[in-house]
Short mmCIF file of all heavy atoms in Angstrom, two decimals:
data_model
loop_
_atom_site.label_atom_id
_atom_site.label_comp_id
_atom_site.label_asym_id
_atom_site.label_seq_id
_atom_site.Cartn_x
_atom_site.Cartn_y
_atom_site.Cartn_z
N PHE A 161 41.88 133.41 -48.51
CA PHE A 161 42.99 132.55 -47.97
C PHE A 161 43.08 131.21 -48.64
O PHE A 161 44.16 130.73 -49.07
CB PHE A 161 42.74 132.37 -46.43
CG PHE A 161 43.86 131.69 -45.73
CD1 PHE A 161 44.95 132.42 -45.16
CD2 PHE A 161 43.90 130.34 -45.59
CE1 PHE A 161 45.98 131.73 -44.56
CE2 PHE A 161 44.95 129.68 -44.96
CZ PHE A 161 45.96 130.41 -44.43
N TRP A 168 49.29 128.40 -54.54
CA TRP A 168 50.69 127.95 -54.32
C TRP A 168 50.82 126.49 -54.44
O TRP A 168 51.78 125.99 -55.01
CB TRP A 168 51.15 128.45 -52.92
CG TRP A 168 51.41 129.97 -52.96
CD1 TRP A 168 50.74 130.89 -52.28
CD2 TRP A 168 52.42 130.59 -53.77
NE1 TRP A 168 51.22 132.11 -52.60
CE2 TRP A 168 52.24 132.03 -53.46
CE3 TRP A 168 53.33 130.21 -54.61
CZ2 TRP A 168 53.10 132.96 -54.08
CZ3 TRP A 168 54.21 131.12 -55.26
CH2 TRP A 168 54.00 132.53 -54.94
N THR A 181 58.43 129.51 -57.21
CA THR A 181 57.92 130.38 -56.12
C THR A 181 58.06 131.93 -56.61
O THR A 181 57.44 132.81 -56.05
CB THR A 181 58.73 130.30 -54.84
OG1 THR A 181 60.10 130.58 -55.06
CG2 THR A 181 58.59 128.94 -54.23
N THR A 182 58.91 132.16 -57.59
CA THR A 182 58.99 133.52 -58.23
C THR A 182 59.70 133.38 -59.56
O THR A 182 60.64 132.65 -59.66
CB THR A 182 59.78 134.56 -57.35
OG1 THR A 182 59.85 135.75 -58.00
CG2 THR A 182 61.16 134.05 -57.06
N ARG A 188 65.43 136.71 -55.72
CA ARG A 188 65.67 135.81 -54.62
C ARG A 188 67.14 135.70 -54.30
O ARG A 188 67.55 135.53 -53.12
CB ARG A 188 65.09 134.45 -55.01
CG ARG A 188 65.03 133.59 -53.78
CD ARG A 188 64.34 132.24 -54.01
NE ARG A 188 64.82 131.59 -55.22
CZ ARG A 188 64.08 130.97 -56.10
NH1 ARG A 188 62.77 130.92 -55.98
NH2 ARG A 188 64.63 130.39 -57.12
N GLU A 191 67.85 138.58 -52.00
CA GLU A 191 67.31 138.22 -50.59
C GLU A 191 68.17 137.28 -49.88
O GLU A 191 68.43 137.45 -48.69
CB GLU A 191 65.88 137.60 -50.77
CG GLU A 191 64.90 138.63 -51.32
CD GLU A 191 63.58 138.03 -51.73
OE1 GLU A 191 63.50 136.76 -51.81
OE2 GLU A 191 62.64 138.76 -52.03
N ASP A 209 62.67 129.44 -41.55
CA ASP A 209 62.30 130.12 -42.82
C ASP A 209 60.76 129.90 -42.92
O ASP A 209 60.35 128.86 -43.21
CB ASP A 209 63.08 129.58 -43.97
CG ASP A 209 62.69 130.18 -45.31
OD1 ASP A 209 61.62 130.83 -45.44
OD2 ASP A 209 63.38 129.96 -46.28
N MET A 210 60.02 130.92 -42.64
CA MET A 210 58.48 130.79 -42.70
C MET A 210 58.04 131.08 -44.12
O MET A 210 58.36 132.15 -44.61
CB MET A 210 57.80 131.73 -41.73
CG MET A 210 58.06 131.51 -40.28
SD MET A 210 57.69 129.81 -39.68
CE MET A 210 56.05 129.59 -40.38
N GLY A 211 57.35 130.17 -44.73
CA GLY A 211 56.90 130.32 -46.13
C GLY A 211 58.07 130.11 -47.01
O GLY A 211 58.35 130.91 -47.91
N CYS A 212 58.76 128.95 -46.78
CA CYS A 212 60.03 128.70 -47.52
C CYS A 212 59.83 128.28 -48.92
O CYS A 212 60.86 128.19 -49.64
CB CYS A 212 60.84 127.63 -46.76
SG CYS A 212 59.98 125.99 -46.66
N GLY A 213 58.64 128.01 -49.35
CA GLY A 213 58.39 127.52 -50.73
C GLY A 213 59.09 126.19 -50.94
O GLY A 213 59.07 125.28 -50.02
N ASP A 214 59.77 126.05 -52.07
CA ASP A 214 60.53 124.79 -52.28
C ASP A 214 61.93 124.81 -51.67
O ASP A 214 62.74 123.93 -52.03
CB ASP A 214 60.57 124.40 -53.80
CG ASP A 214 61.27 125.51 -54.61
OD1 ASP A 214 61.74 126.48 -54.04
OD2 ASP A 214 61.32 125.30 -55.84
N THR A 217 66.19 128.98 -50.98
CA THR A 217 66.98 129.92 -50.12
C THR A 217 67.43 129.10 -48.85
O THR A 217 68.58 129.27 -48.40
CB THR A 217 66.11 131.13 -49.77
OG1 THR A 217 65.86 131.81 -50.98
CG2 THR A 217 66.88 132.07 -48.81
N TYR A 233 59.46 126.11 -43.24
CA TYR A 233 58.02 125.84 -43.07
C TYR A 233 57.25 126.40 -44.26
O TYR A 233 57.52 127.53 -44.68
CB TYR A 233 57.49 126.40 -41.78
CG TYR A 233 58.17 125.81 -40.53
CD1 TYR A 233 59.03 126.56 -39.82
CD2 TYR A 233 57.81 124.45 -40.12
CE1 TYR A 233 59.61 126.03 -38.65
CE2 TYR A 233 58.39 124.00 -38.90
CZ TYR A 233 59.26 124.75 -38.22
OH TYR A 233 59.84 124.21 -37.11
N ASP A 234 56.27 125.68 -44.69
CA ASP A 234 55.33 126.31 -45.69
C ASP A 234 53.97 125.61 -45.50
O ASP A 234 53.92 124.38 -45.07
CB ASP A 234 55.84 125.96 -47.11
CG ASP A 234 55.31 126.95 -48.13
OD1 ASP A 234 54.08 126.83 -48.49
OD2 ASP A 234 56.09 127.83 -48.57
N TYR A 235 52.90 126.26 -45.73
CA TYR A 235 51.56 125.67 -45.58
C TYR A 235 51.20 124.79 -46.78
O TYR A 235 50.21 124.04 -46.67
CB TYR A 235 50.46 126.66 -45.29
CG TYR A 235 50.07 127.74 -46.32
CD1 TYR A 235 48.93 128.46 -46.00
CD2 TYR A 235 50.63 127.88 -47.51
CE1 TYR A 235 48.46 129.52 -46.91
CE2 TYR A 235 50.19 128.88 -48.44
CZ TYR A 235 49.19 129.62 -48.18
OH TYR A 235 48.74 130.52 -48.97
N SER A 236 51.96 124.94 -47.85
CA SER A 236 51.62 124.06 -49.03
C SER A 236 52.40 122.75 -48.95
O SER A 236 53.61 122.69 -48.97
CB SER A 236 52.02 124.80 -50.32
OG SER A 236 52.26 123.93 -51.37
N MET A 239 54.69 122.29 -51.91
CA MET A 239 55.92 123.02 -51.78
C MET A 239 56.97 122.25 -50.84
O MET A 239 58.17 122.06 -51.23
CB MET A 239 55.77 124.39 -51.15
CG MET A 239 55.14 125.41 -52.06
SD MET A 239 56.27 125.92 -53.39
CE MET A 239 55.21 127.05 -54.36
N GLN A 260 53.56 123.87 -42.23
CA GLN A 260 53.10 124.65 -41.14
C GLN A 260 52.55 126.00 -41.62
O GLN A 260 53.15 126.56 -42.54
CB GLN A 260 54.30 124.98 -40.21
CG GLN A 260 54.19 126.18 -39.20
CD GLN A 260 53.45 125.70 -37.97
OE1 GLN A 260 53.69 124.67 -37.37
NE2 GLN A 260 52.45 126.53 -37.55
N ASP A 261 51.38 126.33 -41.10
CA ASP A 261 50.77 127.64 -41.50
C ASP A 261 51.32 128.74 -40.56
O ASP A 261 51.31 128.51 -39.31
CB ASP A 261 49.28 127.51 -41.39
CG ASP A 261 48.50 128.79 -41.84
OD1 ASP A 261 49.06 129.84 -41.85
OD2 ASP A 261 47.27 128.57 -42.00
N VAL A 262 51.83 129.78 -41.13
CA VAL A 262 52.40 130.87 -40.29
C VAL A 262 51.34 131.54 -39.46
O VAL A 262 51.65 132.19 -38.39
CB VAL A 262 53.12 131.93 -41.16
CG1 VAL A 262 52.22 132.80 -42.04
CG2 VAL A 262 54.07 132.88 -40.32
N CYS A 263 50.06 131.32 -39.74
CA CYS A 263 48.96 131.99 -38.86
C CYS A 263 48.67 131.02 -37.74
O CYS A 263 47.86 131.44 -36.87
CB CYS A 263 47.76 132.17 -39.71
SG CYS A 263 48.00 133.32 -41.04
N THR A 276 60.55 135.57 -46.53
CA THR A 276 60.81 136.28 -47.82
C THR A 276 59.54 136.20 -48.68
O THR A 276 59.24 135.14 -49.17
CB THR A 276 62.07 135.70 -48.56
OG1 THR A 276 61.85 134.29 -48.71
CG2 THR A 276 63.37 135.95 -47.79
N ARG A 277 58.90 137.27 -48.80
CA ARG A 277 57.61 137.45 -49.55
C ARG A 277 56.60 136.33 -49.17
O ARG A 277 55.90 135.87 -50.04
CB ARG A 277 57.90 137.41 -51.05
CG ARG A 277 58.65 138.65 -51.58
CD ARG A 277 59.13 138.49 -52.94
NE ARG A 277 60.30 137.62 -52.93
CZ ARG A 277 60.18 136.33 -53.32
NH1 ARG A 277 59.14 135.83 -53.82
NH2 ARG A 277 61.36 135.60 -53.20
N CYS A 278 56.44 136.08 -47.87
CA CYS A 278 55.46 135.11 -47.43
C CYS A 278 54.22 135.81 -46.96
O CYS A 278 53.09 135.57 -47.38
CB CYS A 278 56.04 134.26 -46.37
SG CYS A 278 54.81 133.25 -45.50
N ASN A 281 51.16 137.23 -48.79
CA ASN A 281 50.11 136.29 -49.35
C ASN A 281 48.95 136.08 -48.41
O ASN A 281 48.15 135.22 -48.63
CB ASN A 281 50.78 134.91 -49.63
CG ASN A 281 51.83 135.04 -50.74
OD1 ASN A 281 51.39 135.21 -51.93
ND2 ASN A 281 53.10 134.93 -50.42
N LEU A 282 48.95 136.79 -47.32
CA LEU A 282 47.87 136.71 -46.36
C LEU A 282 46.90 137.87 -46.72
O LEU A 282 47.24 138.98 -46.80
CB LEU A 282 48.35 136.92 -44.92
CG LEU A 282 49.30 135.88 -44.51
CD1 LEU A 282 49.95 136.15 -43.16
CD2 LEU A 282 48.61 134.48 -44.42
C1 LIG B 793 56.38 134.20 -53.06
S1 LIG B 793 56.60 132.56 -52.40
C2 LIG B 793 58.15 132.72 -51.67
C3 LIG B 793 58.79 131.37 -51.27
C4 LIG B 793 60.17 131.47 -50.68
N1 LIG B 793 60.14 132.33 -49.47
C5 LIG B 793 61.15 132.05 -51.64
O1 LIG B 793 61.70 133.17 -51.34
O2 LIG B 793 61.40 131.43 -52.73
C6 LIG B 793 55.50 132.56 -51.01
C7 LIG B 793 55.48 131.26 -50.21
O3 LIG B 793 54.72 131.52 -48.98
C8 LIG B 793 53.94 130.39 -48.78
N2 LIG B 793 52.85 130.82 -47.81
C9 LIG B 793 51.84 131.72 -48.10
N3 LIG B 793 51.06 131.86 -47.00
C10 LIG B 793 51.54 131.07 -46.01
C11 LIG B 793 51.13 130.76 -44.75
N4 LIG B 793 49.96 131.29 -44.24
N5 LIG B 793 51.88 129.86 -43.99
C12 LIG B 793 52.97 129.30 -44.54
N6 LIG B 793 53.35 129.50 -45.82
C13 LIG B 793 52.63 130.38 -46.57
C14 LIG B 793 53.48 129.92 -50.05
O4 LIG B 793 53.04 128.60 -50.11
C15 LIG B 793 54.70 130.16 -50.93
O5 LIG B 793 55.51 129.01 -50.95
#
Side-chain angles (χ1 to χ4, degrees):
F161 186 90
W168 287 114
T181 61
T182 176
R188 193 172 51 222
E191 294 167 349
D209 178 346
M210 294 305 311
C212 63
D214 61 1
T217 297
Y233 298 107
D234 204 286
Y235 68 173
S236 158
M239 285 289 177
Q260 164 81 47
D261 183 342
V262 70
C263 297
T276 52
R277 290 166 291 99
C278 169
N281 295 287
L282 298 171

